[in-house]
Amino acid sequence: MNNLLAGILPQSGGLEASGSGKYTLAMGVLALLSVLGVAAGVHSLIAGHEHTFGVSRGVPWGILIAAYVFFVVTSTGLCIVSSVGHVFGFENFNPIAKRAVFLSIATIVAGFLVIAFEIENSWRMPVGNVIGANLTSNIWWMGTLYGAYLFFMMIEFVMLQKEQHKAATGFGLAGLLTGVAAHSNLGAVFGLLNGREFWHGPYMPIYFITSAAMSGCVAIIFFTIIAYKANGWKMSEGMKKSMESVAKMGALMMAIIIFFTCWKMISGVTGNPPGKYETIMTLLTGSYALNFWVGEVLLGMVIPFAIILVVRGRNINALFVAALAGMVGIFVMRYDLVIVGQLVPSYHGMGLVDYPELLSYAPTLHEYLVVLGGVAFCGLFFLMGEKLFRGHVAEHS
Amino acid sequence: MKIDDLEKTTSEDLGVLPSVVRRNILKLGLVVTGMYLGGSILSLTSVRNVYGAGVVPEVGKYPYNPHYSMVIREKLCIDCEQCKEACVKTNHVPAYGFRTTILEKRRSLGGEKFETTFMPVLCNHCNRPPCVRVCPTTATWKDEKTGIVTMNPGRCIGCKTCMTACPYNARYFKEETRAVDKCDFCFESRLSKGQTTTACVEACPADVRVFGNLADPKSRVFKLVHAPETMIWVLRPETGAIPNIYYINS
Amino acid sequence: MKKMLLVLVLGAGLLSGALLFAASNAQEKTAYDEDAYGPKAPIVWVKPVRSVIFEHKIHTMDAGLDCGSCHDSLFEMENGAAEKKDDFTMATLYKGGYCGSCHDGSAAFASNTRCTSCHIGARGHARLNSQGGTAVKSH
């Protein structure tokens, strides 16, 4: 074990993290939040979601699913971004690759942590998934593939640390393929529900993959800049170039997402398709309009896109603002996607009396705490990684 | 075109239309008749053929035997809710949940007047159940013999995907068993113990709910859905789930 | 001159207001008189099934029936009296008892049709209660 660790952990070189009090403080706060989140999650499992969560019969999926989707989208995106350099050989992407692989593990673990509390009997999963395997279930594929994905990414990371580049590339490719397959299955979890018009169709899997790539770019910029600023490291020329390339790729993905979103909205309004129209209008002018216009459109798309274009991906401070806005915006996108898709009740449009036009959902304290716990856990992981792996400095830079 | 020719045409059957078209037709049907009538447009011309190929499977083509189904004689429902009470008692349904419930439709009769129709709803025990497809651990499945969509609470991981997949809002999470709970046509509480009806059917004083084996030509459900001059519809046919709860207008 | 105008305008306003008030009051009077038409509050039975509604207004004021056509041959003047009897069922109605003496398809719509016009159900009852249990608006 010690030998193994010694093989992975760089003993020298790289960048030394400032082991100041600030670092300890940050770790402490994040650890505390993680513990709080886990406590809230465990309590909700014991007491039952009925009593602790805002989810209901009509809206069974709440902010925890949104957070899970957010984490795995980011993880898949980080894997995609890491493989651009690693697997496909675009040199500019190499400097961020190690950090991206590491963070893709951190984010997916955080995602699993959150979903473990959303699934009311997660302990039945290991056995149930095997003896009850249902090959027509997208959620089964998603879970299983993400399991494999985590495995591949961990091996890839170890291989990277051991400087075994061939093996790393192989596992990277395996991780990428399973990640993309898993992630498009996550899209299909929503997209193949015939009764849910807002989700139904091939759009979801396609959209999920594209937004994963976008999230990956945003996330790696966000975390890299934090790591460098917090530790007072100086960015090498290679890293700066890398940031620029990632930012430009991110901007391209944002453009595609903007394009997708436009048509999603237009097709949802044209001809008032039943079930879909109500949902789209909830986003455009209804109770989720603030989320949509400020959260999704401004923070998630327009602001980061505009900033990256204006500074041409070169100003690090500006990039950080873009990435921060992007992270928040992407979270709102996931939230709206999950929640708003469930708001139209099953028997809408049948002329029913005392039947809601739209259902409602609001997260409870328990749910917020679990989500916050997941975020904190991811942060904790990230900080530890920076210290242990000495700034994830890549092989050739 | 004569009626005979018309009966030969199949292209306008609900099944071959894309879902959006179907939905629009249904919506129009809704406007015209005030109800969700599968194929109400074609019913102006040839009722039997359309329904034969539509929501009611053709005689002899029932995938199960017994093929349990329920016919709801909707306009007789008076919302006394004795069915709900019986269900709660028989199947230990907690206060926050339900396996079956009554919804209320209202149609204007012009002026201040309107007509109320109560609409009982429950699990449709679909032939192509979306909830079964999505379950990662096969904690819910369609029984091969009876066609009843059943749950194994011990296998349920509580991901609630079946709840989002169900077009009929027929499922809820029961904290007491830590599993999703749903109508099983009283299989566990009654049918498996030799009784022949469900608790809700037995409790209904107005004979709204009729339960039985659709594959048996002598059963009352068979006779009801194959009776002449009867309007038969199912809820949300556009989802392609092929439900087994039939609503009739007589 | 200006003052005159002001007084005039004010006076006209007050006058028309008073007139309107009187008119609305009068309308309310002709709208429903409990002495002439029986109690305004609907009668709701919950036995043997939830819930059947009976409104005096529809029968006396709108359909022009007098008290004698029901009291006391068919119904007692006591809320809930019929409910206590065992034969207060559809079978009796179909045979011409209770409501069925008129709701037989000739004097008024038959008891085996339009179930929901008498049966407001548990949902309708709950709605009545949530409206304060007094006025039932439309019908």
Side-chain angles (χ1 to χ4, degrees), chain A residues 6 12 22 28 92 114 160 217 240 265 281 344:
Chain A
S12 58
K22 257 199 246 157
N92 269 352
V114 171
L160 281 179
C217 297
K240 278 191 190 145
M265 295 297 146
M281 291 315 280
V344 175

Side-chain angles (χ1 to χ4, degrees), chain A residues 250-331:
Chain A
L252 173 66
M253 293 301 147
M254 281 165 207
I256 298 177
I257 289 290
I258 292 172
F259 179 77
F260 277 8
T261 307
C262 285
W263 281 109
K264 172 95 185 167
M265 295 297 146
I266 294 171
S267 71
V269 170
T270 311
N272 298 31
K276 199 189 254 174
Y277 178 77
E278 292 81 352
T279 329
I280 302 280
M281 291 315 280
T282 311
L283 286 172
L284 292 181
T285 58
S287 44
Y288 283 73
L290 192 71
N291 276 15
F292 179 71
W293 291 110
V294 177
E296 296 195 37
V297 174
L298 267 186
L299 291 178
M301 303 176 201
V302 173
I303 291 180
F305 183 71
I307 292 183
I308 294 172
L309 279 206
V310 168
V311 303
R312 298 158 156 269
R314 287 201 190 118
N315 180 330
I316 294 299
N317 287 333
L319 280 190
F320 182 72
V321 175
L324 179 65
M327 293 290 275
V328 176
I330 290 167
F331 188 87

Side-chain angles (χ1 to χ4, degrees), chain B residues 134-162:
Chain B
V134 300
C135 178
T137 56
T138 44
T140 187
W141 70 94
K142 194 158 169 71
D143 188 73
E144 271 172 31
K145 246 176 78 196
T146 59
I148 293 176
V149 176
T150 322
M151 277 295 301
N152 171 0
R155 186 76 74 74
C156 176
I157 62 169
C159 66
K160 300 178 183 168
T161 315
C162 56

